[in-house]
Amino acid sequence: MTAIVNRINSAARRIPTWVVYIVLLLPALSLLYQGFAGGLGRDPVKGLEHALGLWALKLIVAGLSVTPLRRFVGLNLIRFRRAVGIMAFVYVCLHFAVWLFLDVQIWSQIWADIVKRPYVTIGFAAFVLLIPLAMTSNNWSVRKLGPAWRKLHKLSYVAAVLGGVHYIWLVKGIQIEPLVYMAIIMGLLVLRLRWPKRVTA
């Protein structure tokens, strides 16, 4: 197991971060193509909206996984965490844009939906929390904010939970997939906690 992890770490060090951005952008391009080609079902707008939101949640989960993987497995993907986080925000923006411009369309109804529909309220709250994180995901902000940068970026934990709740409330009835995502998110957050070391006699 250790040998495999070492090989992955060695290969990861040779991969430029711009490659990660390009690879993570490919699903969005594929979904847009499918939407225009009629490959997203009878309601392509809803299909595109759902798929983009799901990819955003997957990338949020991937970002949360980086620290536990390094701590418990030794897999060091920390240099890609910023790219994953930024691309998660990109997918959230695309998800929001499809809902805003292609789904709702009626501008007077947008704020009413945000206020009256709990799953929209939760999703919009997660989107708002991610904005300052995306804006400060750069070296200049890290230097300028200092220790406050880490505190600010802990909002990603709250945004992840809100994203999971948004998915659960979005679907009709009880479905396994949203619950699995929520369980993974909560499990990853628990793994990030600093557990006190046992004192041996």
Side-chain angles (χ1 to χ4, degrees):
M1 181 65 179
T2 303
I4 296 174
V5 170
N6 289 337
R7 287 179 182 177
I8 295 175
N9 288 339
S10 178
R13 285 193 291 268
R14 294 193 295 269
I15 299 175
T17 53
W18 60 264
V19 173
V20 178
Y21 285 101
I22 292 176
V23 169
L24 294 182
L25 188 61
L26 293 178
L29 298 176
S30 175
L31 288 170
L32 290 173
Y33 172 77
Q34 290 179 57
F36 285 112
L40 294 176
R42 287 184 288 183
D43 191 343
V45 171
K46 284 293 185 183
L48 181 61
E49 184 181 334
H50 173 77
L52 290 170
L54 192 56
W55 265 104
L57 194 58
K58 288 177 180 178
L59 292 177
I60 288 172
V61 169
L64 289 178
S65 303
V66 172
T67 295
L69 283 173
R70 185 176 61 170
R71 184 183 301 171
F72 297 106
V73 183
L75 188 61
N76 190 359
L77 303 175
I78 195 75
R79 63 192 297 263
F80 302 127
R81 184 167 60 183
R82 180 182 297 179
V84 172
I86 290 175
M87 291 308 299
F89 181 70
V90 168
Y91 276 89
V92 170
C93 289
L94 291 173
H95 173 68
F96 181 71
V98 171
W99 172 77
L100 188 65
F101 297 109
L102 299 181
D103 190 355
V104 179
Q105 294 184 350
I106 304 173
W107 287 90
S108 59
Q109 187 181 331
I110 292 170
W111 186 248
D113 278 3
I114 292 173
V115 173
K116 293 181 180 179
R117 297 186 180 185
Y119 75 90
V120 178
T121 307
I122 293 292
F124 184 72
F127 170 64
V128 171
L129 287 179
L130 289 173
I131 293 174
L133 305 187
M135 292 179 64
T136 56
S137 290
N138 52 74
N139 294 334
W140 181 86
S141 295
V142 174
R143 293 192 300 269
K144 193 72 174 178
L145 295 176
W149 187 88
R150 287 185 177 275
K151 294 180 180 179
L152 174 64
H153 278 251
K154 287 183 179 180
L155 287 175
S156 62
Y157 308 157
V158 181
V161 172
L162 292 178
V165 174
H166 171 68
Y167 189 19
I168 291 173
W169 284 2
L170 173 66
V171 300
K172 295 179 180 179
I174 298 176
Q175 296 189 25
I176 298 298
E177 187 177 21
L179 296 176
V180 169
Y181 273 96
M182 192 65 190
I184 293 173
I185 290 170
M186 298 307 295
L188 289 171
L189 292 179
V190 169
L191 289 175
R192 294 180 70 91
L193 295 175
R194 291 286 184 179
W195 297 99
K197 294 181 178 180
R198 291 183 179 180
V199 178
T200 58

